[in-house]
Amino acid sequence: MQDKIRHYEEKLDHETDSWDLNDAILNGENILVIDARSAEAFAEEHIPGAVSLPHRMMNAETTSHLDREALYVTYCDGIGCNASTKGALKMAQLGYRVKELIGGLDWWKRDGYPTETSDD
């Protein structure tokens, strides 16, 4: 039974869902949401308050200004996209605390949360 408990604890340590993310944001937790897709995809639609940091651009220089105490949540389009996984891996390799948003932008919207564009 302990191996199952450990498995689910580790899973929750690496992933979050849209409800938990929204709740954490509303509670003022030290979280930064990172859109790991292209800058063009971010401009079309993104989670409010998210920053655009495409996974291909993540490195020590582009992340040097980030708060080392914050929790970073990476996302992409959804189940058919792995930019959030690549972004989470890179952020972890750079020493940041990170989780991946399961379902990405698709499930964020399915759960009824708002999005915005760069024109908003």
Side-chain angles (χ1 to χ4, degrees):
M1 186 60 76
Q2 286 301 83
D3 61 329
K4 291 183 187 328
I5 292 169
R6 206 169 22 262
H7 167 77
Y8 291 113
E9 286 173 341
E10 288 177 7
K11 186 172 180 167
L12 289 172
D13 192 43
H14 296 89
E15 299 174 339
T16 191
D17 65 11
S18 57
W19 190 93
D20 287 338
L21 175 58
N22 186 65
D23 190 54
I25 292 168
L26 291 176
N27 286 323
E29 294 181 27
N30 190 10
I31 291 181
L32 181 64
V33 181
I34 296 177
D35 188 319
R37 304 172 302 154
S38 70
E40 294 80 17
F42 176 84
E44 286 181 27
E45 184 176 35
H46 56 268
I47 293 173
V51 297
S52 176
L53 185 55
H55 68 87
R56 289 182 177 92
M57 305 299 292
M58 292 177 182
N59 58 48
E61 184 179 334
T62 61
T63 62
S64 65
H65 67 286
L66 298 177
D67 179 0
R68 289 274 175 188
E69 301 301 314
L71 172 64
Y72 293 88
V73 176
T74 62
Y75 76 90
C76 59
D77 290 323
I79 196 165
C81 176
N82 67 1
S84 61
T85 303
K86 291 175 181 178
L89 174 60
K90 285 188 179 179
M91 292 298 288
Q93 289 170 331
L94 291 164
Y96 293 93
R97 290 185 328 122
V98 63
K99 289 187 177 188
E100 183 177 13
L101 178 62
I102 55 176
L105 187 61
D106 180 39
W107 281 99
W108 177 265
K109 295 188 307 186
R110 286 179 190 232
D111 285 344
Y113 298 113
T115 62
E116 61 186 18
T117 67
S118 291
D119 296 332
D120 290 345

